[in-house]
Amino acid sequence: MNNGIPFWHPAEYARRLPFLKQRARIIETIREFFIRRGFLEVETPILQISPGLEPHLKAFKTELVEPFGQADREMYLHTSPEFTMKKLLAAGLPKIFQMARVFRNEERSKRHHPEFIMLEWYRANADYTVLMDDTVELVRACAAACGAKVLKDGDLEVDPFKEWERVSIADACRKYAGFDLESTLPAEPTLEPDPAPLAKVAEKLGIQVSPDDRWDDIYFRIAFEKIEPNLGRGVPTILYDYPVCMAALSRKKTSDPRFAERFEVYVGDTELGNAFSELTDAAEQRRRFEYDMDLKEKLYGERYPVDDDFINAVAAMPEAAGIAVGVDRLVMLITGAKRIEDAMWAPVA
């Protein structure tokens, strides 16, 4: 609702309708984009044993009641179609995409909604650099289809048709915050780096830390204050090569295994996409999941189950790369809509 007016009120709907017509064109363009490139559109179940295991994501829980006396099961609405799409990669499908309805509890803001559309695509026998090129071409195609010369994030205008900025996290730290990220990480890769070296950096930058802060907590504060305000200005930014502790589903870089082949896309202040060269080591994947669920239990007092069938599929997967892009956010950027609800046909009231 906008100022208490229901979304279906004729005057309110008339205000939103230009955004929604462009949304339909964007959805059509996305589908055409992938089909022309030989991708197969797939559909996967919303109900899952494991909803997604990022520690800070909150899922919707439900119960699957089976007929004829079979055991009932606790299930979740997925936060991403990723796990099942990777099972399809293990089945032998080489290039797949899906625009999936996904669910995340405790999320609502001008860029967040409890139910939204996630575009995900996967390429077998590819790495994250190929997805960078895919993303540039896709965003340009959608903008062009709507006659948009720039992307709009609030008062910011970003030109997707110029060359995109591509910068590693380590270089961004040097450029925008004036410190050496590598020196704050131990020589060997770890899921829980000692926060003390990064805490010293934060204190020099005037950023408050506490004794209970983990390495990730401190990095996010530095990024929020010093790095992210410089990303996606003028042109979109691809920020790549995250520390392994921030990339649970991504494979390590061979040149420096403390970092992983992950990137995010920034347009103004909007995080538009998140991508990986996929991890295909099943034992390592289980170890990272168990670590993340231990952390979730410590922080929030709950944990979600690991899907053993997904772990088995990881072992059978080819080398691959995959990415998730928020469709509603893409519509906002192309149309200039100020809130995510304005880019949705019928938001969750």
Side-chain angles (χ1 to χ4, degrees):
M1 294 189 296
N2 181 44
N3 296 323
I5 303 172
F7 78 87
W8 50 263
H9 189 281
E12 172 65 8
Y13 221 83
R15 181 188 69 81
R16 298 171 58 240
L17 191 56
F19 302 140
L20 300 175
K21 288 182 176 179
Q22 294 286 55
R23 177 191 178 95
R25 182 67 186 119
I26 290 165
I27 295 289
E28 181 183 0
T29 301
I30 291 170
R31 190 163 275 119
E32 291 173 351
F33 179 91
F34 286 106
I35 290 173
R36 287 177 179 174
R37 285 162 176 76
F39 283 75
L40 184 65
E41 184 172 11
V42 300
E43 298 172 347
T44 58
I46 289 170
L47 279 176
Q48 294 290 324
I49 294 169
S50 180
L53 299 178
E54 199 280 329
H56 302 293
L57 286 184
K58 300 296 183 70
F60 288 88
K61 186 187 297 185
T62 187
E63 183 182 21
L64 177 63
V65 179
E66 298 281 7
F68 313 120
Q70 296 115 308
D72 299 338
R73 288 183 290 163
E74 188 175 81
M75 302 286 281
Y76 297 86
L77 308 187
H78 66 185
T79 60
S80 160
E82 178 175 6
F83 292 173
T84 310
M85 291 185 77
K86 287 182 179 178
K87 292 177 183 180
L88 295 179
L89 286 178
L93 298 180
K95 295 195 296 185
I96 55 176
F97 80 100
Q98 178 176 193
M99 284 180 276
R101 194 165 290 278
V102 300
F103 303 83
R104 297 185 179 184
N105 217 344
E106 298 186 27
E107 291 198 7
R108 195 188 288 269
S109 75
K110 68 178 182 179
R111 297 189 186 92
H112 297 85
H113 204 69
E115 179 180 347
F116 61 98
I117 302 296
M118 185 82 83
L119 164 66
E120 296 201 11
W121 71 93
Y122 293 83
R123 287 178 173 270
N125 304 309
D127 67 10
Y128 70 151
T129 61
V130 180
L131 299 183
M132 294 180 189
D133 296 336
D134 283 347
T135 306
V136 173
E137 293 173 9
L138 174 67
V139 172
R140 287 174 175 172
C142 290
C146 294
K149 299 188 184 312
V150 295
L151 306 176
K152 296 180 180 180
D153 183 33
D155 295 329
L156 295 172
E157 292 190 350
V158 180
D159 190 340
F161 298 102
K162 291 182 178 178
E163 184 176 356
W164 291 27
E165 178 187 32
R166 303 189 188 200
V167 60
S168 70
I169 280 191
D171 286 342
C173 288
R174 279 187 283 269
K175 183 176 181 180
Y176 299 123
F179 76 96
D180 179 14
L181 181 68
E182 292 96 328
S183 68
T184 72
L185 295 168
E188 296 298 323
T190 176
L191 298 180
E192 191 66 62
D194 179 2
L198 193 58
K200 291 180 181 178
V201 170
E203 289 167 358
K204 289 180 181 178
L205 293 171
I207 296 170
Q208 188 174 1
V209 298
S210 73
D212 295 332
D213 283 337
R214 300 168 51 249
W215 190 97
D216 291 20
D217 299 326
I218 301 168
Y219 170 79
F220 283 127
R221 287 202 197 103
I222 294 173
F224 179 75
E225 293 195 23
K226 301 295 183 180
I227 298 171
E228 291 179 1
N230 297 286
L231 305 179
R233 266 51 180 180
V235 297
T237 297
I238 294 173
L239 186 68
Y240 64 89
D241 288 357
Y242 281 64
V244 165
C245 60
M246 300 168 63
L249 290 146
S250 179
R251 86 172 170 230
K252 298 172 186 175
K253 291 182 64 64
T254 54
S255 59
D256 188 343
R258 295 177 300 171
F259 293 87
E261 294 183 352
R262 174 192 175 193
F263 74 82
E264 287 193 306
V265 177
Y266 287 82
V267 180
D269 295 321
T270 297
E271 295 176 27
L272 180 61
N274 184 28
F276 308 104
S277 295
E278 303 295 350
L279 182 63
T280 55
D281 182 329
E284 174 67 9
Q285 186 65 87
R286 184 182 291 278
R287 184 177 77 89
R288 293 190 196 179
F289 279 165
E290 294 293 352
Y291 174 85
D292 281 347
M293 288 304 93
D294 288 346
L295 175 60
K296 187 178 190 72
E297 190 166 35
K298 178 181 177 182
L299 294 175
Y300 304 112
E302 66 175 341
R303 62 192 301 135
Y304 299 146
V306 174
D307 180 359
D308 291 332
D309 189 54
F310 172 69
I311 298 296
N312 293 335
V314 168
M317 272 176 56
E319 296 296 316
I323 181 170
V325 168
V327 171
D328 311 279
R329 289 186 179 184
L330 180 59
V331 174
M332 290 176 66
L333 293 168
I334 290 174
T335 64
K338 301 295 186 184
R339 295 187 60 83
I340 195 168
E341 287 92 343
D342 288 341
M344 295 176 160
W345 288 100
V348 176

